[in-house]
Amino acid sequence: MNSHVLVIDDEKNYLLILETLLEEEGYSVTALYDPQMALDYLDESEVDVVITDMKMPGVSGQDILEHIQKHHSQIPVLIMTAYGSIDGAVEAMRCGAFDYITKPFSNDELMLSVRKAALLSKSEQEKRLLTQTLAEQYGPHKLVGSSRGIREVLQLVSKVARSRSTVLVTGESGTGKELIAKAIHYSSPRREGPFISINCMSLSPGVLESELFGHEKGSFTGATAMKKGRFELADGGTLFLDEVGELSQELQVKLLRVLQEKAFERVGGSRTIHVDIRLVTATNKDLKQAVEQGHFREDLYYRLNVVGIHLPPLRERREDIPLLVAHFMHKISAENEQENRKFAPEALEYLTAYEWPGNVRQLENVVERCMILASKDEIGVEDLPSEIKDEEAQFKSAVDLLPVELELSGTLEKIEAALIRRALVKSNFVQVKAAELLNISKSLLQYKLKKYNIQPK
């Protein structure tokens, strides 16, 4: 589709010349001699490039530029001016004009400037489209689940996204912490800025420092060129630090300084670089305990944990498992151009009762494996991995979730709570049947539901 150029000039001869030139080059042109009419037109129509005269009665080119900067900042503006008004054109450039054209103009220079402006406009449109696509892909509405735990997470994401506050996302591995960080970014006013992420556990402290802050040429062996770090790349957007609990003490100090001053120096450099970022961090560690043990700075912990979002493990939101299974089946079918399959009710019951030490990530892997290897359209219990369908393996999985250092009475309570949740799932949340499976009375079951804060659905 050809770019749409709006030309504004109270001299009708120039309007006619510009309209003819632009149409010959294949542009769609709207030519208006009334600048007030042009302002109304801008608010009602799709325009890619604006060319406006500087001096016009009533509404000036500067007024047009200011209106566009305020309401349609993605549209590049070319200012036309006579030789005697070049100072005004330069001022317009400072105010955000894309270029200025002196009258009388060279046709070639004019068309070159218009082509550059049209390319910029197209690039901005593609960027906005990409941002919209990513927002649709990673927005809060893409977080699958209807359990109370996930609803509370979604409410927090919705509230915190509008702010500039730092966010600490906690939860076990595989619960979807990066997905939460993306949901915050793509729901925020920074959505058109970059989303940059790095895993703090995947790199050694020396390499991680260079990745975060960048380095100057020659700052260390192998530094053959200047390199921008993740903080610079995230300027105007969001930086996500995963596994932030793995940062060395030295890097903790440097991170604290960036949060306090919004500034840093590259490795081997002396120039202070200022950035405007939104920081979201995540960890599967207990940072409060790490602070008490002296492994993590207390001042940094409170800087990171302005807003805390805890993602519950999958075993604590079992009612979401059928929804997640359906979501992954649809996704995997589309990716592999497969026909939709379904899990037999008994197989889905096994999936819902399993403890899922690897959480949502493990569930997705299991669903994909079953869809690839199952020989029938309906996936049965026989198609499930042995660790899910084998009772002894399931018990071992549940035991593996227990901490290494444990206190017996508290541990037994955790096991009892897990068995109650499992019985509820197997009985389709009918409490009388669940009590029968556990060989206890319904009144005792209700007491224990209240004791362990288990929601019976």
Side-chain angles (χ1 to χ4, degrees):
M1 184 176 178
N2 294 333
S3 295
H4 180 198
V5 181
L6 172 62
V7 183
I8 312 163
D9 198 327
D10 61 321
E11 295 184 52
K12 293 186 178 180
N13 286 340
Y14 269 111
L15 272 187
L16 183 60
I17 292 168
L18 286 165
E19 186 175 12
T20 302
L21 282 172
L22 292 165
E23 287 181 346
E24 284 178 354
E25 289 291 323
Y27 293 102
S28 170
V29 183
T30 298
L32 298 174
Y33 67 88
D34 182 345
Q36 183 58 57
M37 187 185 299
L39 290 178
D40 297 335
Y41 185 84
L42 276 165
D43 294 336
E44 297 170 359
S45 308
E46 292 290 330
V47 175
D48 299 308
V49 179
V50 170
I51 304 174
T52 180
D53 191 29
M54 174 63 84
K55 289 191 174 182
M56 296 178 290
V59 178
S60 68
Q62 184 71 29
D63 295 330
I64 297 282
L65 175 61
E66 289 175 2
H67 178 85
I68 290 173
Q69 287 286 297
K70 185 175 181 180
H71 301 287
H72 314 282
S73 59
Q74 77 281 4
I75 302 177
V77 180
L78 281 67
I79 296 287
M80 291 189 296
T81 183
Y83 274 116
S85 304
I86 288 179
D87 288 345
V90 172
E91 180 60 31
M93 294 285 286
R94 289 198 190 102
C95 294
F98 177 77
D99 201 355
Y100 71 89
I101 304 158
T102 55
K103 292 180 178 179
F105 50 77
S106 159
N107 292 355
D108 290 341
E109 288 180 7
L110 169 70
M111 296 317 303
L112 178 61
S113 187
V114 172
R115 278 195 291 273
K116 288 180 179 178
L119 285 171
L120 175 64
S121 181
K122 183 179 180 182
S123 174
E124 288 295 322
Q125 288 173 13
E126 289 173 349
K127 181 182 174 183
R128 289 199 308 277
L129 181 61
L130 176 60
T131 300
Q132 289 170 5
T133 302
L134 290 170
E136 290 170 5
Q137 185 175 354
Y138 294 112
H141 61 285
K142 286 295 183 181
L143 298 172
V144 178
S146 61
S147 61
R148 186 176 72 170
I150 205 68
R151 288 200 308 271
E152 289 174 353
V153 167
L154 289 172
Q155 287 172 0
L156 276 172
V157 168
S158 178
K159 289 178 181 178
V160 77
R162 298 188 292 269
S163 74
R164 298 171 60 92
S165 303
T166 55
V167 180
L168 176 63
V169 186
T170 57
E172 296 177 6
S173 293
T175 48
K177 295 186 288 293
E178 184 166 358
L179 194 61
I180 294 297
K182 288 180 177 177
I184 291 170
H185 173 73
Y186 289 110
S187 304
S188 76
R190 294 173 174 265
R191 67 176 68 86
E192 293 189 8
F195 177 87
I196 304 294
S197 66
I198 187 168
N199 188 309
C200 299
M201 190 169 61
S202 63
L203 301 168
S204 66
V207 175
L208 181 59
E209 182 181 9
S210 174
E211 284 294 319
L212 288 174
F213 305 109
H215 62 252
E216 298 291 351
K217 181 179 179 180
S219 57
F220 55 84
T221 304
T224 56
M226 183 277 287
K227 178 182 176 181
K228 291 183 178 182
R230 304 297 172 97
F231 276 97
E232 275 185 87
L233 296 174
D235 192 24
T238 301
L239 176 63
F240 174 58
L241 301 183
D242 199 5
E243 304 298 350
V244 72
E246 303 298 328
L247 287 176
S248 66
Q249 290 285 340
E250 184 181 355
L251 284 178
Q252 288 179 38
V253 173
K254 292 192 174 185
L255 177 57
L256 182 62
R257 186 209 162 193
V258 177
L259 290 173
Q260 289 172 335
E261 302 178 15
K262 307 292 184 186
F264 61 93
E265 291 82 35
R266 298 191 191 111
V267 175
S270 57
R271 182 172 68 89
T272 300
I273 299 166
H274 295 268
V275 289
D276 171 25
I277 62 162
R278 169 49 161 324
L279 186 66
V280 179
T281 61
T283 182
N284 59 12
K285 284 187 170 183
D286 184 341
L287 282 192
K288 202 165 185 180
Q289 186 181 65
V291 168
E292 291 169 358
Q293 295 171 347
H295 301 314
F296 202 85
R297 292 182 64 96
E298 185 175 25
D299 46 5
L300 178 58
Y301 170 71
Y302 287 114
R303 281 278 182 177
L304 299 179
N305 194 29
V306 175
V307 178
I309 297 179
H310 179 70
L311 272 174
L314 191 54
R315 62 186 174 276
E316 291 181 8
R317 42 180 287 226
R318 293 177 188 272
E319 59 266 48
D320 292 337
I321 290 175
L323 296 174
L324 286 162
V325 169
H327 169 72
F328 291 139
M329 290 182 76
H330 178 75
K331 175 186 171 186
I332 294 161
S333 294
E335 289 174 350
N336 295 282
E337 297 182 350
Q338 279 183 310
E339 290 186 10
N340 277 324
R341 292 185 170 187
K342 65 177 182 177
F343 279 84
E346 190 179 4
L348 192 59
E349 190 176 280
Y350 270 88
L351 293 178
T352 309
Y354 186 57
E355 290 298 303
W356 297 109
N359 292 295
V360 179
R361 188 185 297 130
Q362 183 188 8
L363 174 62
E364 182 175 9
N365 291 342
V366 167
V367 171
E368 183 171 5
R369 171 184 166 175
C370 290
M371 289 185 68
I372 291 170
L373 299 181
S375 55
K376 295 177 290 185
D377 287 340
E378 185 175 79
I379 300 168
V381 174
E382 66 279 5
D383 298 308
L384 298 176
S386 59
E387 68 269 17
I388 292 175
K389 62 187 176 184
D390 183 81
E391 296 283 331
E392 189 174 327
Q394 282 205 37
F395 182 76
K396 182 180 182 300
S397 171
V399 171
D400 286 343
L401 289 168
L402 299 173
V404 177
E405 297 178 2
L406 50 79
E407 185 264 324
L408 186 60
S409 62
T411 301
L412 292 175
E413 286 183 349
K414 288 180 180 178
I415 292 173
E416 186 176 46
L419 290 172
I420 290 170
R421 283 194 294 266
R422 185 174 170 186
L424 283 168
V425 169
K426 287 207 166 191
S427 64
N428 199 27
F429 293 89
V430 177
Q431 292 183 35
V432 173
K433 291 183 179 178
E436 289 175 359
L437 287 172
L438 295 166
N439 198 25
I440 60 175
S441 66
K442 183 183 176 183
S443 59
L444 180 56
L445 174 64
Q446 289 175 333
Y447 164 75
K448 291 184 180 293
L449 290 175
K450 188 174 182 181
K451 177 182 177 181
Y452 299 127
N453 195 27
I454 297 173
Q455 300 299 314
K457 205 175 181 180

